[in-house]
């Protein structure tokens, strides 16, 4: 038997229905903010992803050569593709550009619950708005999308300038190492590394900075930095918006393109893979041949949101109807089903030439109502509507039945 590739999933109809419902809610919410959906290719030139992050990232990607020897990669995320598209489309775009996307990404990772090799991101990018308002709106949109999905989570916000200031005297390589430890939430490893490179005097400030939960505590460790006014402005906008958040200066973000504000959301009950959103302010356009353009965005791990939501039925209930006929009514079934479908009612017919009683049994299993079309109904030009749960039935005209089911 041929099985699906490791780290991928098949999705059965019930799951797809749940996913489409949540996806639709998120799309609707993003539209309210004026973010418009884009799509980019599933594969890109490999360089698009290595130009900022270096060759190291190749081990985490699906990389291949096409028949002309081009090096390509399946997209591991959509921020670089979105910015590549922004640069290619160029001047025709009005600023700020507000884009959102819902697409699959591919990462060659060790699969586990909530971590897959093909997974979906719902993300947004605000390109060309270098303001505290812009940063705040991106955070609020991410928060709102997760709220709309119905998931329980905490929002943590940091700023890369905090650690940048504290670690200013380290080499780039050591800064990167410390950042990687913090990203994995391994504070002790970060401290040990500071000791190893004879920066013991930074150990205590690092612990204090990681533990700081107010801006005053942060600036007490690193002093008033040039970005302080802008950072305070952004947080005061968030406070006025009544968005609950925690300040967390230890947020480092795994990707290399972030420059300023960074934020992450964590869901309850997901175990190790509990980060359901990651984002921040970044600069990428100049690397792809465009002007240096401040941008900010985030991506939601859609599959993790679905795991966090569980399987309870939060899809709005809609009655399901099955047309049940005797031989006399059989060839009218599709026509009458059409009338109900035209009115938005989910309606199925027997496609297997089953007997009347077998059709009734199927209706009992799969439908809320049966519409019976037998000899008498055909003669009188009506139908019998049977409530399969209550067992009650009544004779109605088609418009009467449609009215009744539409308000059910
Ligand atoms: P990221 O943190 O790498 O950021 O990914 C965003 C989210 O995608 C994560 O928080 C997680 O929920 C989900 N995710 C990542 N890897 C997997 C996986 N293997 N399986 C399931 N879910 C996963 C980015 O990708 C940035 N492009 C976000 C961004 C947009 N920053 C600015 N704009």
């Amino acid at each position: 038997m041929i099985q699906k590739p490791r780290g991928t999933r098949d999705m059965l109809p019930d799951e797809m229905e749940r996913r489409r419902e949540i996806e639709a809610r998120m799309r609707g919410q993003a539209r309210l903010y004026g973010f418009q959906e884009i799509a980019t290719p599933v594969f890109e030139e490999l360089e698009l992803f290595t130009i900022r992050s270096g060759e190291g990232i190749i081990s985490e990607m699906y990389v291949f050569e096409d028949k002309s020897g081009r090096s390509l990669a399946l997209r591991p995320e959509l921020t670089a593709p979105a910015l590549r598209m922004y640069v290619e489309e160029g001047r025709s775009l009005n600023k700020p550009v507000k884009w959102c996307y819902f697409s699959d990404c591919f990462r060659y990772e060790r699969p586990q619950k909530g971590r897959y090799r093909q997974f979906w991101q719902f993300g947004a990018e605000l390109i060309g708005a270098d303001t505290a308002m812009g940063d705040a709106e991106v955070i609020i949109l991410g928060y709102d999308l997760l709220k709309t999905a119905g998931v329980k989570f905490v929002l943590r916000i940091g700023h890369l300038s905090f650690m940048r200031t504290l670690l200013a005297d380290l080499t780039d390589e050591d800064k990167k190492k410390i950042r990687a430890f913090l990203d994995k939430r391994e504070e002790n490893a970060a401290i040990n590394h500071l000791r190893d490179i004879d920066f013991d005097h930074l150990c205590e400030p690092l612990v204090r900075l990681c533990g700081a939960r107010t801006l005053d505590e942060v600036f007490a460790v690193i002093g008033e930095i040039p970005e302080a006014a802008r950072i305070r402005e952004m947080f005061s906008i968030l406070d006025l918006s009544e968005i609950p958040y925690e300040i967390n200066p230890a947020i480092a973000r795994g990707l290399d393109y972030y420059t300023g504000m960074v934020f992450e959301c964590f869901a309850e009950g997901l175990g190790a893979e509990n980060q359901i959103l990651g984002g921040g302010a970044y600069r990428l356009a100049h690397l792809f041949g465009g002007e240096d353009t401040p941008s900010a965005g985030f991506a939601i791990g859609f599959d993790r949101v679905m795991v966090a939501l569980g399987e309870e039925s939060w899809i709005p209930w809609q009655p399901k109807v099955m047309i049940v006929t005797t031989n006399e009514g059989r060839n009218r079934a599709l026509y009458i089903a059409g009338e109900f479908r035209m009115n938005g009612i989910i309606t199925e017919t027997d496609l297997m030439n089953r007997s009347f009683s077998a059709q009734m049994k199927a209706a009992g299993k799969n439908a809320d109502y049966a519409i019976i079309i037998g000899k008498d109904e055909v003669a009188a030009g009506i139908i019998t509507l049977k409530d399969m749960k209550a067992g009650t039935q009544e004779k109605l005209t088609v418009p009467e039945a449609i009215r009744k089911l539409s308000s059910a």
Side-chain angles (χ1 to χ4, degrees), residues 139 142-144 146-147 150-158 185 213 243-248 251 262-270 274-279 300 305 308:
I139 294 174
Y143 173 88
D144 250 4
L146 290 176
K147 276 273 156 205
V151 68
K152 287 201 180 72
F153 62 96
V154 291
L155 161 64
R156 299 196 178 125
I157 309 173
R185 287 171 258 170
R213 291 294 171 263
I243 296 281
Y245 65 85
E246 286 171 13
I247 290 181
N248 190 332
I251 297 178
V262 281
F263 68 117
E264 295 179 338
C265 293
F266 297 86
E268 290 169 9
L270 278 189
N274 62 347
Q275 196 202 112
I276 54 170
L277 176 151
I300 290 172
V305 168

mmCIF file of all heavy atoms in Angstrom, residues 139 142-144 146-147 150-158 185 213 243-248 251 262-270 274-279 300 305 308:
data_model
loop_
_atom_site.group_PDB
_atom_site.id
_atom_site.type_symbol
_atom_site.label_atom_id
_atom_site.label_comp_id
_atom_site.label_asym_id
_atom_site.label_seq_id
_atom_site.Cartn_x
_atom_site.Cartn_y
_atom_site.Cartn_z
ATOM 1 N N ILE A 139 -0.618 43.985 15.078
ATOM 2 C CA ILE A 139 -0.807 43.156 16.273
ATOM 3 C C ILE A 139 -2.302 42.952 16.537
ATOM 4 O O ILE A 139 -2.768 41.837 16.796
ATOM 5 C CB ILE A 139 -0.131 43.810 17.505
ATOM 6 C CG1 ILE A 139 1.383 43.844 17.312
ATOM 7 C CG2 ILE A 139 -0.496 43.052 18.776
ATOM 8 C CD1 ILE A 139 2.139 44.600 18.394
ATOM 9 N N GLY A 142 -3.837 40.438 14.110
ATOM 10 C CA GLY A 142 -3.488 39.060 14.478
ATOM 11 C C GLY A 142 -4.320 38.592 15.661
ATOM 12 O O GLY A 142 -4.866 37.486 15.668
ATOM 13 N N TYR A 143 -4.435 39.473 16.659
ATOM 14 C CA TYR A 143 -5.227 39.160 17.850
ATOM 15 C C TYR A 143 -6.690 38.890 17.466
ATOM 16 O O TYR A 143 -7.289 37.900 17.877
ATOM 17 C CB TYR A 143 -5.128 40.341 18.825
ATOM 18 C CG TYR A 143 -6.027 40.232 20.023
ATOM 19 C CD1 TYR A 143 -5.604 39.581 21.178
ATOM 20 C CD2 TYR A 143 -7.315 40.776 20.001
ATOM 21 C CE1 TYR A 143 -6.433 39.465 22.273
ATOM 22 C CE2 TYR A 143 -8.150 40.663 21.097
ATOM 23 C CZ TYR A 143 -7.707 40.011 22.227
ATOM 24 O OH TYR A 143 -8.538 39.893 23.313
ATOM 25 N N ASP A 144 -7.218 39.760 16.628
ATOM 26 C CA ASP A 144 -8.624 39.649 16.220
ATOM 27 C C ASP A 144 -8.912 38.379 15.421
ATOM 28 O O ASP A 144 -9.963 37.766 15.576
ATOM 29 C CB ASP A 144 -8.980 40.846 15.325
ATOM 30 C CG ASP A 144 -9.928 41.787 16.032
ATOM 31 O OD1 ASP A 144 -10.225 41.538 17.213
ATOM 32 O OD2 ASP A 144 -10.371 42.759 15.392
ATOM 33 N N LEU A 146 -7.392 35.525 15.635
ATOM 34 C CA LEU A 146 -7.421 34.368 16.532
ATOM 35 C C LEU A 146 -8.687 34.374 17.383
ATOM 36 O O LEU A 146 -9.273 33.337 17.661
ATOM 37 C CB LEU A 146 -6.179 34.349 17.420
ATOM 38 C CG LEU A 146 -4.866 34.039 16.698
ATOM 39 C CD1 LEU A 146 -3.681 34.141 17.650
ATOM 40 C CD2 LEU A 146 -4.903 32.649 16.068
ATOM 41 N N LYS A 147 -9.128 35.567 17.798
ATOM 42 C CA LYS A 147 -10.381 35.690 18.562
ATOM 43 C C LYS A 147 -11.543 35.195 17.715
ATOM 44 O O LYS A 147 -12.423 34.480 18.180
ATOM 45 C CB LYS A 147 -10.628 37.156 18.940
ATOM 46 C CG LYS A 147 -9.926 37.573 20.179
ATOM 47 C CD LYS A 147 -10.786 37.246 21.383
ATOM 48 C CE LYS A 147 -9.913 37.098 22.605
ATOM 49 N NZ LYS A 147 -10.411 36.296 23.661
ATOM 50 N N GLY A 150 -11.969 31.661 17.615
ATOM 51 C CA GLY A 150 -12.532 31.107 18.844
ATOM 52 C C GLY A 150 -11.515 30.380 19.708
ATOM 53 O O GLY A 150 -11.880 29.665 20.633
ATOM 54 N N VAL A 151 -10.240 30.598 19.422
ATOM 55 C CA VAL A 151 -9.208 29.875 20.168
ATOM 56 C C VAL A 151 -8.786 30.684 21.404
ATOM 57 O O VAL A 151 -8.876 31.907 21.414
ATOM 58 C CB VAL A 151 -8.024 29.579 19.209
ATOM 59 C CG1 VAL A 151 -7.298 30.820 18.812
ATOM 60 C CG2 VAL A 151 -7.084 28.559 19.757
ATOM 61 N N LYS A 152 -8.377 29.988 22.473
ATOM 62 C CA LYS A 152 -7.900 30.683 23.673
ATOM 63 C C LYS A 152 -6.381 30.782 23.596
ATOM 64 O O LYS A 152 -5.703 29.800 23.351
ATOM 65 C CB LYS A 152 -8.270 29.880 24.920
ATOM 66 C CG LYS A 152 -9.735 29.920 25.263
ATOM 67 C CD LYS A 152 -9.924 29.549 26.749
ATOM 68 C CE LYS A 152 -11.380 29.589 27.122
ATOM 69 N NZ LYS A 152 -12.146 28.479 26.536
ATOM 70 N N PHE A 153 -5.864 31.993 23.856
ATOM 71 C CA PHE A 153 -4.412 32.169 23.672
ATOM 72 C C PHE A 153 -3.926 33.356 24.488
ATOM 73 O O PHE A 153 -4.727 34.167 24.961
ATOM 74 C CB PHE A 153 -4.104 32.413 22.182
ATOM 75 C CG PHE A 153 -4.743 33.687 21.643
ATOM 76 C CD1 PHE A 153 -4.027 34.879 21.585
ATOM 77 C CD2 PHE A 153 -6.058 33.694 21.232
ATOM 78 C CE1 PHE A 153 -4.612 36.049 21.118
ATOM 79 C CE2 PHE A 153 -6.663 34.861 20.752
ATOM 80 C CZ PHE A 153 -5.929 36.034 20.698
ATOM 81 N N VAL A 154 -2.587 33.438 24.632
ATOM 82 C CA VAL A 154 -1.991 34.660 25.195
ATOM 83 C C VAL A 154 -1.126 35.305 24.115
ATOM 84 O O VAL A 154 -0.556 34.622 23.273
ATOM 85 C CB VAL A 154 -1.128 34.405 26.443
ATOM 86 C CG1 VAL A 154 -1.977 33.983 27.615
ATOM 87 C CG2 VAL A 154 -0.042 33.367 26.181
ATOM 88 N N LEU A 155 -1.074 36.634 24.177
ATOM 89 C CA LEU A 155 -0.304 37.420 23.213
ATOM 90 C C LEU A 155 0.918 37.994 23.935
ATOM 91 O O LEU A 155 0.774 38.611 24.991
ATOM 92 C CB LEU A 155 -1.203 38.548 22.680
ATOM 93 C CG LEU A 155 -0.554 39.758 22.013
ATOM 94 C CD1 LEU A 155 0.167 39.352 20.738
ATOM 95 C CD2 LEU A 155 -1.613 40.824 21.704
ATOM 96 N N ARG A 156 2.095 37.728 23.392
ATOM 97 C CA ARG A 156 3.323 38.264 23.985
ATOM 98 C C ARG A 156 4.019 39.159 22.976
ATOM 99 O O ARG A 156 4.157 38.787 21.816
ATOM 100 C CB ARG A 156 4.267 37.135 24.386
ATOM 101 C CG ARG A 156 3.618 36.241 25.415
ATOM 102 C CD ARG A 156 4.596 35.351 26.142
ATOM 103 N NE ARG A 156 3.841 34.598 27.122
ATOM 104 C CZ ARG A 156 3.827 33.267 27.220
ATOM 105 N NH1 ARG A 156 4.585 32.541 26.432
ATOM 106 N NH2 ARG A 156 3.082 32.675 28.126
ATOM 107 N N ILE A 157 4.436 40.321 23.447
ATOM 108 C CA ILE A 157 5.048 41.294 22.542
ATOM 109 C C ILE A 157 6.420 41.690 23.072
ATOM 110 O O ILE A 157 6.598 41.893 24.276
ATOM 111 C CB ILE A 157 4.160 42.559 22.435
ATOM 112 C CG1 ILE A 157 2.711 42.177 22.103
ATOM 113 C CG2 ILE A 157 4.712 43.515 21.374
ATOM 114 C CD1 ILE A 157 1.745 43.343 22.150
ATOM 115 N N GLY A 158 7.362 41.804 22.169
ATOM 116 C CA GLY A 158 8.700 42.255 22.542
ATOM 117 C C GLY A 158 9.220 43.230 21.502
ATOM 118 O O GLY A 158 8.480 43.682 20.617
ATOM 119 N N ARG A 185 13.534 29.248 24.001
ATOM 120 C CA ARG A 185 13.211 29.446 25.411
ATOM 121 C C ARG A 185 14.207 28.726 26.324
ATOM 122 O O ARG A 185 13.850 28.084 27.298
ATOM 123 C CB ARG A 185 11.769 29.008 25.701
ATOM 124 C CG ARG A 185 10.759 30.006 25.123
ATOM 125 C CD ARG A 185 9.344 29.505 25.201
ATOM 126 N NE ARG A 185 8.877 29.013 23.922
ATOM 127 C CZ ARG A 185 7.742 28.348 23.728
ATOM 128 N NH1 ARG A 185 6.968 28.081 24.747
ATOM 129 N NH2 ARG A 185 7.373 27.954 22.539
ATOM 130 N N ARG A 213 8.459 42.749 32.720
ATOM 131 C CA ARG A 213 7.093 42.665 32.189
ATOM 132 C C ARG A 213 6.449 44.045 31.992
ATOM 133 O O ARG A 213 5.274 44.142 31.628
ATOM 134 C CB ARG A 213 6.203 41.816 33.126
ATOM 135 C CG ARG A 213 6.572 40.330 33.133
ATOM 136 C CD ARG A 213 6.302 39.663 31.768
ATOM 137 N NE ARG A 213 6.843 38.307 31.706
ATOM 138 C CZ ARG A 213 8.031 37.992 31.175
ATOM 139 N NH1 ARG A 213 8.803 38.934 30.658
ATOM 140 N NH2 ARG A 213 8.450 36.745 31.141
ATOM 141 N N ILE A 243 -6.480 45.583 24.258
ATOM 142 C CA ILE A 243 -5.994 44.260 23.844
ATOM 143 C C ILE A 243 -5.152 43.703 24.995
ATOM 144 O O ILE A 243 -4.193 44.353 25.404
ATOM 145 C CB ILE A 243 -5.079 44.415 22.592
ATOM 146 C CG1 ILE A 243 -5.872 44.937 21.412
ATOM 147 C CG2 ILE A 243 -4.343 43.138 22.261
ATOM 148 C CD1 ILE A 243 -6.696 43.919 20.722
ATOM 149 N N PRO A 244 -5.511 42.542 25.518
ATOM 150 C CA PRO A 244 -4.674 41.986 26.594
ATOM 151 C C PRO A 244 -3.365 41.418 26.040
ATOM 152 O O PRO A 244 -3.385 40.678 25.065
ATOM 153 C CB PRO A 244 -5.531 40.859 27.177
ATOM 154 C CG PRO A 244 -6.567 40.552 26.156
ATOM 155 C CD PRO A 244 -6.657 41.697 25.196
ATOM 156 N N TYR A 245 -2.236 41.805 26.639
ATOM 157 C CA TYR A 245 -0.940 41.296 26.171
ATOM 158 C C TYR A 245 0.036 41.257 27.325
ATOM 159 O O TYR A 245 -0.209 41.849 28.384
ATOM 160 C CB TYR A 245 -0.381 42.199 25.056
ATOM 161 C CG TYR A 245 -0.060 43.594 25.532
ATOM 162 C CD1 TYR A 245 1.161 43.885 26.126
ATOM 163 C CD2 TYR A 245 -0.998 44.629 25.416
ATOM 164 C CE1 TYR A 245 1.435 45.163 26.600
ATOM 165 C CE2 TYR A 245 -0.728 45.897 25.878
ATOM 166 C CZ TYR A 245 0.489 46.161 26.471
ATOM 167 O OH TYR A 245 0.750 47.425 26.953
ATOM 168 N N GLU A 246 1.141 40.530 27.095
ATOM 169 C CA GLU A 246 2.251 40.541 28.054
ATOM 170 C C GLU A 246 3.469 41.080 27.323
ATOM 171 O O GLU A 246 3.668 40.758 26.158
ATOM 172 C CB GLU A 246 2.602 39.105 28.478
ATOM 173 C CG GLU A 246 1.625 38.476 29.422
ATOM 174 C CD GLU A 246 1.937 36.980 29.614
ATOM 175 O OE1 GLU A 246 3.032 36.517 29.212
ATOM 176 O OE2 GLU A 246 1.057 36.304 30.134
ATOM 177 N N ILE A 247 4.250 41.867 28.024
ATOM 178 C CA ILE A 247 5.536 42.272 27.434
ATOM 179 C C ILE A 247 6.528 41.148 27.684
ATOM 180 O O ILE A 247 6.588 40.601 28.796
ATOM 181 C CB ILE A 247 6.023 43.587 28.054
ATOM 182 C CG1 ILE A 247 5.110 44.722 27.578
ATOM 183 C CG2 ILE A 247 7.481 43.860 27.692
ATOM 184 C CD1 ILE A 247 5.473 46.083 28.091
ATOM 185 N N ASN A 248 7.282 40.765 26.651
ATOM 186 C CA ASN A 248 8.281 39.718 26.838
ATOM 187 C C ASN A 248 9.531 40.003 26.004
ATOM 188 O O ASN A 248 9.585 39.693 24.821
ATOM 189 C CB ASN A 248 7.687 38.356 26.471
ATOM 190 C CG ASN A 248 8.609 37.236 26.880
ATOM 191 O OD1 ASN A 248 9.827 37.414 26.946
ATOM 192 N ND2 ASN A 248 8.052 36.081 27.176
ATOM 193 N N ILE A 251 11.466 37.425 23.517
ATOM 194 C CA ILE A 251 11.041 36.965 22.182
ATOM 195 C C ILE A 251 12.128 37.313 21.174
ATOM 196 O O ILE A 251 12.504 38.473 21.022
ATOM 197 C CB ILE A 251 9.712 37.634 21.750
ATOM 198 C CG1 ILE A 251 8.593 37.230 22.700
ATOM 199 C CG2 ILE A 251 9.355 37.223 20.318
ATOM 200 C CD1 ILE A 251 7.263 37.891 22.379
ATOM 201 N N VAL A 262 8.299 42.598 17.781
ATOM 202 C CA VAL A 262 8.049 41.179 17.476
ATOM 203 C C VAL A 262 6.926 40.683 18.388
ATOM 204 O O VAL A 262 6.778 41.173 19.512
ATOM 205 C CB VAL A 262 9.315 40.306 17.689
ATOM 206 C CG1 VAL A 262 10.276 40.435 16.519
ATOM 207 C CG2 VAL A 262 10.019 40.651 18.990
ATOM 208 N N PHE A 263 6.142 39.780 17.909
ATOM 209 C CA PHE A 263 5.069 39.251 18.773
ATOM 210 C C PHE A 263 4.729 37.813 18.424
ATOM 211 O O PHE A 263 4.958 37.359 17.291
ATOM 212 C CB PHE A 263 3.837 40.155 18.747
ATOM 213 C CG PHE A 263 3.064 40.206 17.438
ATOM 214 C CD1 PHE A 263 1.751 39.757 17.372
ATOM 215 C CD2 PHE A 263 3.633 40.715 16.281
ATOM 216 C CE1 PHE A 263 1.010 39.824 16.194
ATOM 217 C CE2 PHE A 263 2.909 40.775 15.088
ATOM 218 C CZ PHE A 263 1.602 40.340 15.042
ATOM 219 N N GLU A 264 4.206 37.120 19.439
ATOM 220 C CA GLU A 264 3.863 35.705 19.286
ATOM 221 C C GLU A 264 2.620 35.404 20.102
ATOM 222 O O GLU A 264 2.376 36.057 21.125
ATOM 223 C CB GLU A 264 5.021 34.817 19.789
ATOM 224 C CG GLU A 264 6.286 34.967 18.950
ATOM 225 C CD GLU A 264 7.484 34.147 19.403
ATOM 226 O OE1 GLU A 264 7.524 33.756 20.598
ATOM 227 O OE2 GLU A 264 8.367 33.912 18.590
ATOM 228 N N CYS A 265 1.839 34.444 19.664
ATOM 229 C CA CYS A 265 0.676 34.007 20.435
ATOM 230 C C CYS A 265 0.805 32.525 20.738
ATOM 231 O O CYS A 265 1.276 31.748 19.901
ATOM 232 C CB CYS A 265 -0.626 34.253 19.668
ATOM 233 S SG CYS A 265 -0.968 35.995 19.447
ATOM 234 N N PHE A 266 0.386 32.180 21.931
ATOM 235 C CA PHE A 266 0.488 30.793 22.387
ATOM 236 C C PHE A 266 -0.887 30.314 22.833
ATOM 237 O O PHE A 266 -1.589 31.003 23.563
ATOM 238 C CB PHE A 266 1.468 30.702 23.565
ATOM 239 C CG PHE A 266 2.862 31.108 23.168
ATOM 240 C CD1 PHE A 266 3.240 32.450 23.200
ATOM 241 C CD2 PHE A 266 3.767 30.171 22.718
ATOM 242 C CE1 PHE A 266 4.509 32.844 22.805
ATOM 243 C CE2 PHE A 266 5.040 30.557 22.326
ATOM 244 C CZ PHE A 266 5.416 31.888 22.365
ATOM 245 N N ALA A 267 -1.239 29.103 22.377
ATOM 246 C CA ALA A 267 -2.548 28.548 22.740
ATOM 247 C C ALA A 267 -2.397 27.594 23.913
ATOM 248 O O ALA A 267 -1.326 27.029 24.135
ATOM 249 C CB ALA A 267 -3.144 27.816 21.550
ATOM 250 N N GLU A 268 -3.493 27.430 24.639
ATOM 251 C CA GLU A 268 -3.489 26.484 25.755
ATOM 252 C C GLU A 268 -3.582 25.059 25.226
ATOM 253 O O GLU A 268 -4.191 24.821 24.195
ATOM 254 C CB GLU A 268 -4.736 26.731 26.625
ATOM 255 C CG GLU A 268 -4.682 28.018 27.392
ATOM 256 C CD GLU A 268 -6.028 28.358 28.025
ATOM 257 O OE1 GLU A 268 -6.946 27.501 27.993
ATOM 258 O OE2 GLU A 268 -6.164 29.474 28.521
ATOM 259 N N GLY A 269 -2.968 24.139 25.951
ATOM 260 C CA GLY A 269 -3.204 22.712 25.709
ATOM 261 C C GLY A 269 -2.622 22.144 24.436
ATOM 262 O O GLY A 269 -3.111 21.128 23.949
ATOM 263 N N LEU A 270 -1.611 22.783 23.880
ATOM 264 C CA LEU A 270 -1.035 22.240 22.648
ATOM 265 C C LEU A 270 0.314 21.570 22.886
ATOM 266 O O LEU A 270 0.918 21.054 21.965
ATOM 267 C CB LEU A 270 -0.859 23.342 21.594
ATOM 268 C CG LEU A 270 -2.071 23.731 20.770
ATOM 269 C CD1 LEU A 270 -1.667 24.665 19.644
ATOM 270 C CD2 LEU A 270 -2.739 22.500 20.180
ATOM 271 N N ASN A 274 3.038 24.990 20.834
ATOM 272 C CA ASN A 274 1.880 25.812 21.207
ATOM 273 C C ASN A 274 1.916 27.227 20.625
ATOM 274 O O ASN A 274 1.043 28.030 20.899
ATOM 275 C CB ASN A 274 1.736 25.882 22.732
ATOM 276 C CG ASN A 274 2.939 26.533 23.384
ATOM 277 O OD1 ASN A 274 3.967 26.723 22.752
ATOM 278 N ND2 ASN A 274 2.807 26.868 24.649
ATOM 279 N N GLN A 275 2.926 27.518 19.814
ATOM 280 C CA GLN A 275 2.971 28.850 19.207
ATOM 281 C C GLN A 275 2.058 28.862 17.977
ATOM 282 O O GLN A 275 2.315 28.157 17.001
ATOM 283 C CB GLN A 275 4.408 29.206 18.808
ATOM 284 C CG GLN A 275 4.542 30.694 18.555
ATOM 285 C CD GLN A 275 5.742 31.015 17.669
ATOM 286 O OE1 GLN A 275 5.603 31.441 16.546
ATOM 287 N NE2 GLN A 275 6.911 30.797 18.219
ATOM 288 N N ILE A 276 1.003 29.638 18.059
ATOM 289 C CA ILE A 276 0.027 29.620 16.961
ATOM 290 C C ILE A 276 0.138 30.864 16.077
ATOM 291 O O ILE A 276 -0.520 30.933 15.044
ATOM 292 C CB ILE A 276 -1.421 29.465 17.477
ATOM 293 C CG1 ILE A 276 -1.757 30.539 18.507
ATOM 294 C CG2 ILE A 276 -1.631 28.077 18.052
ATOM 295 C CD1 ILE A 276 -3.230 30.576 18.863
ATOM 296 N N LEU A 277 0.951 31.817 16.487
ATOM 297 C CA LEU A 277 1.163 33.000 15.645
ATOM 298 C C LEU A 277 2.564 33.539 15.897
ATOM 299 O O LEU A 277 3.034 33.529 17.030
ATOM 300 C CB LEU A 277 0.115 34.072 15.972
ATOM 301 C CG LEU A 277 0.244 35.427 15.249
ATOM 302 C CD1 LEU A 277 -1.135 36.060 15.089
ATOM 303 C CD2 LEU A 277 1.171 36.404 15.969
ATOM 304 N N GLY A 278 3.195 34.001 14.833
ATOM 305 C CA GLY A 278 4.491 34.664 14.987
ATOM 306 C C GLY A 278 4.577 35.813 14.000
ATOM 307 O O GLY A 278 4.104 35.692 12.869
ATOM 308 N N GLY A 279 5.150 36.920 14.437
ATOM 309 C CA GLY A 279 5.266 38.033 13.497
ATOM 310 C C GLY A 279 6.101 39.158 14.055
ATOM 311 O O GLY A 279 6.679 39.059 15.140
ATOM 312 N N ILE A 300 -0.297 33.051 11.085
ATOM 313 C CA ILE A 300 -0.954 32.161 12.047
ATOM 314 C C ILE A 300 -0.760 30.724 11.568
ATOM 315 O O ILE A 300 -0.947 30.433 10.381
ATOM 316 C CB ILE A 300 -2.460 32.495 12.115
ATOM 317 C CG1 ILE A 300 -2.651 33.853 12.801
ATOM 318 C CG2 ILE A 300 -3.239 31.395 12.832
ATOM 319 C CD1 ILE A 300 -4.079 34.370 12.743
ATOM 320 N N VAL A 305 -4.102 26.042 15.146
ATOM 321 C CA VAL A 305 -5.372 26.625 15.610
ATOM 322 C C VAL A 305 -6.454 25.542 15.576
ATOM 323 O O VAL A 305 -7.232 25.396 16.520
ATOM 324 C CB VAL A 305 -5.777 27.824 14.716
ATOM 325 C CG1 VAL A 305 -7.208 28.251 14.981
ATOM 326 C CG2 VAL A 305 -4.828 28.987 14.948
ATOM 327 N N ALA A 308 -6.018 23.202 18.405
ATOM 328 C CA ALA A 308 -6.420 23.845 19.662
ATOM 329 C C ALA A 308 -7.942 23.910 19.783
ATOM 330 O O ALA A 308 -8.493 23.779 20.876
ATOM 331 C CB ALA A 308 -5.824 25.257 19.749
#
